[in-house]
Amino acid sequence: MGDLTWVKAGYNSIRGKIVSDWKRDGDTFTLNVTIPANTTATVYVPAKSADAVTESGRPAALSDGVVLLWMENGRAVFTVESGKYEFESR
């Protein structure tokens, strides 16, 4: 990530707009994603462990539409259903 502290991007897919934005504030990383209807996505969240990731203030493992796939090189990898999500890791 280097010196970047935030990014916001969107893409108009054939299913609808996909939006992703993240910010880094000290040790806290926040990622917001919007996935259009009838679509799934793979989401990578920088984290020391999957237990360190929340989604909308709850452990990510307990959030509807969110499934942990694996940990990879300091990132928790999730698959998500259509909807809006706010991931946070510390």
Side-chain angles (χ1 to χ4, degrees):
M1 284 185 265
D3 294 335
L4 287 177
T5 58
W6 67 273
V7 170
K8 183 171 185 171
Y11 173 73
N12 290 316
S13 77
I14 60 171
R15 303 272 176 149
K17 190 163 188 176
I18 300 167
V19 179
S20 174
D21 67 80
W22 62 260
K23 67 179 176 179
R24 189 171 33 126
D25 186 11
D27 291 338
T28 303
F29 179 86
T30 304
L31 170 66
N32 295 293
V33 293
T34 302
I35 308 303
N38 301 313
T39 307
T40 61
T42 304
V43 176
Y44 291 73
V45 180
K48 294 177 183 172
S49 72
D51 294 336
V53 181
T54 61
E55 192 286 308
S56 297
R58 301 174 33 187
L62 300 177
S63 290
D64 292 336
V66 177
V67 176
L68 175 67
L69 298 175
W70 59 77
M71 286 295 298
E72 173 182 290
N73 300 322
R75 296 175 292 186
V77 182
F78 298 93
T79 186
V80 298
E81 298 175 356
S82 58
K84 292 184 179 186
Y85 301 92
E86 181 180 308
F87 292 94
E88 186 173 283
S89 67
R90 295 179 185 261

